[in-house]
């Protein structure tokens, strides 16, 4: 990559001339001599090969090319300043990145709200979000690939902060054979039907969660795929209610009238990597995740303005 001929200081000088209305005013604002400011801008024009300013009476006015380059330079100078700020924050222990792994069943609306509130406080810290299923969350945390983890499973040796429950409900298409029985259902009724289950993304000790007594079982890779299968009439499944509200309202899915076990409400937990000290950005994100976990999913919400 060719090294730039114009420095950030030169771009800042040009911006000062335009923003303060002239060379003398820019010199005063920058605590430099007027001749130094004039030379800097003249040198820039020679280096770039295009005129940036023209003299109109006693005032320096941007040329068309100068206007375009000035607008682009403002973003360049801003990014350089942000880079320096990030380096300063990192020196003070502020993380460059927080890695968050979340079970796919946890409401994404709560994650979005927390991350939206985190942005103006992040000081350039990035968030790397990863979605796993069941024990896949635990594996990512234990491997040290995540700083924070949200899961409905208990992780041995870790103390998690309790979050809200997620309701799973047993559903099938309204025309499914189970609904055509027109009565309360038992687990014996389910045994001859196909159950759709979601594959555990963990590799070491994958788990099956939920009733699995059906003679026929189809395993899919995501909750969204399971919802598509079941709403198309292929089998039944226990799915997070918050993910299928639209299908329930539109009538492509219907709750199974089970005499017991038609609904289950596992608690979810927020864990942190115990082998890594919590940095300030991670601690802020933890508080935001816990705060927005308590709000109703249908609550009105306005994203905070960025600083």
């Amino acid at each position: 990559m060719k090294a730039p001929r114009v420095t950030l200081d030169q771009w800042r000088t040009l911006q000062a001339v335009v923003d303060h209305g002239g060379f003398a005013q820019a010199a005063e604002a920058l605590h430099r001599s007027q001749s130094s400011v004039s030379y800097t801008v003249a040198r820039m024009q020679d280096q770039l090969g295009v005129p940036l300013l023209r003299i109109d009476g006693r005032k320096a006015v941007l040329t068309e090319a100068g206007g375009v380059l000035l607008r682009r330079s403002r973003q360049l100078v801003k990014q350089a300043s942000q880079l320096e700020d990030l380096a300063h924050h990192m020196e003070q222990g502020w993380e460059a990145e927080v890695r968050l792994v979340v079970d796919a069943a946890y409401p994404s609306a709560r994650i979005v709200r927390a991350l939206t509130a985190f942005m103006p406080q992040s000081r350039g810290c990035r968030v790397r979000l990863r979605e796993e299923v069941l024990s896949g969350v635990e594996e990512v945390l234990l491997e040290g690939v995540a700083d924070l983890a949200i899961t409905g499973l208990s992780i041995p040796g870790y103390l998690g902060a309790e979050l809200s429950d997620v309701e799973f409900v047993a559903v099938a298409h309204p025309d499914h054979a189970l609904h055509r029985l027109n009565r309360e259902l038992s687990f014996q009724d389910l045994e001859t039907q196909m159950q759709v289950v979601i594959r555990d993304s963990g590799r070491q000790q994958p788990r099956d969660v939920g009733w699995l007594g059906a003679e026929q079982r189809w395993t899919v890779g995501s909750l969204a795929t399971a919802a598509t299968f079941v709403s198309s009439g292929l089998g039944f499944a226990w799915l997070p209610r918050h993910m299928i509200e639209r299908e329930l309202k539109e009538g492509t899915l219907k709750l199974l009238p089970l005499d017991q076990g038609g609904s289950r409400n596992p608690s979810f937990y927020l864990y942190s990597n115990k082998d890594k000290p919590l940095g300030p950005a991670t601690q802020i994100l933890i508080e935001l995740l816990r705060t927005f976990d308590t709000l109703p999913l249908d609550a009105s919400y306005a994203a905070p303005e960025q600083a």
Side-chain angles (χ1 to χ4, degrees):
M1 182 185 299
K2 185 171 66 173
R5 289 174 290 180
V6 179
T7 66
L8 290 172
D9 180 66
Q10 288 176 298
W11 287 119
R12 289 191 182 100
T13 302
L14 176 64
Q15 291 172 16
V17 171
V18 174
D19 294 343
H20 294 282
F23 290 95
Q25 297 90 327
E28 183 178 354
L30 296 172
H31 305 291
R32 292 165 56 181
S33 66
Q34 183 174 341
S35 59
S36 171
V37 171
S38 299
Y39 175 78
T40 298
V41 175
R43 177 69 175 153
M44 282 183 70
Q45 295 184 112
D46 291 341
Q47 290 170 313
L48 293 171
V50 293
L52 302 174
L53 297 170
R54 58 181 175 81
I55 303 301
D56 187 359
R58 300 178 62 181
K59 188 176 181 181
V61 180
L62 280 170
T63 64
E64 183 176 350
V68 172
L69 293 174
L70 179 69
R71 287 193 296 273
R72 295 289 294 272
S73 76
R74 291 191 188 280
Q75 186 64 26
L76 178 67
V77 171
K78 180 181 178 181
Q79 289 175 345
S81 178
Q82 290 173 339
L83 187 62
E84 292 172 0
D85 288 343
L86 178 58
H88 174 66
H89 296 320
M90 290 173 67
E91 183 184 12
Q92 295 180 322
W94 197 273
E95 308 93 301
E97 179 179 80
V98 177
R99 301 163 301 173
L100 171 64
V101 58
V102 181
D103 189 290
Y106 186 76
S108 58
R110 290 183 175 141
I111 300 295
V112 169
R113 289 179 174 185
L115 294 182
T116 301
F118 178 71
M119 283 182 62
Q121 305 180 57
S122 65
R123 302 187 188 181
C125 175
R126 300 172 301 184
V127 175
R128 187 183 297 272
L129 180 63
R130 178 168 174 174
E131 194 173 73
E132 297 286 341
V133 177
L134 296 173
S135 71
V137 177
E138 178 181 352
E139 284 188 13
V140 171
L141 183 64
L142 296 179
E143 290 169 359
V145 185
D147 303 305
L148 299 175
I150 294 178
T151 176
L153 300 178
S154 175
I155 301 181
Y158 282 76
L159 293 175
E162 188 169 357
L163 301 176
S164 58
D165 298 345
V166 173
E167 183 185 13
F168 285 74
V169 290
V171 291
H173 189 277
D175 294 332
H176 191 277
L178 289 169
H179 284 302
R180 292 202 298 269
L181 294 175
N182 293 316
R183 59 172 171 80
E184 193 174 65
L185 304 175
S186 67
F187 285 139
Q188 285 72 32
D189 294 315
L190 304 182
E191 288 176 344
T192 59
Q193 302 297 323
M194 184 180 73
Q195 181 180 358
V196 178
V197 297
I198 295 83
R199 182 178 66 250
D200 188 330
S201 62
R203 302 180 304 277
Q204 304 299 324
Q205 294 180 319
R207 309 181 191 182
D208 289 328
V209 175
W211 186 84
L212 298 165
E215 295 177 2
Q216 189 175 8
R217 184 194 315 167
W218 281 9
T219 302
V220 298
S222 71
L223 289 161
T225 301
T228 299
F229 275 34
V230 179
S231 60
S232 299
L234 294 173
F236 68 92
W238 273 265
L239 297 171
R241 182 187 281 271
H242 68 87
M243 292 187 65
I244 56 171
E245 288 289 356
R246 186 179 67 180
E247 288 82 354
L248 290 171
K249 289 179 180 178
E250 294 177 349
T252 56
L253 285 177
K254 184 178 177 181
L255 300 177
L256 288 173
L258 287 167
D259 57 1
Q260 58 179 342
S263 173
R264 55 187 179 88
N265 299 73
S267 295
F268 275 64
Y269 299 88
L270 172 61
Y271 295 94
S272 60
N273 188 334
K274 65 180 182 180
D275 297 322
K276 179 181 177 183
L278 294 179
T282 305
Q283 294 182 53
I284 290 173
L285 184 54
I286 287 174
E287 289 305 311
L288 291 172
L289 288 167
R290 297 181 67 177
T291 296
F292 287 101
D293 175 77
T294 61
L295 293 180
L297 289 174
D298 57 354
S300 59
Y301 170 69
E305 294 184 3
Q306 294 193 35

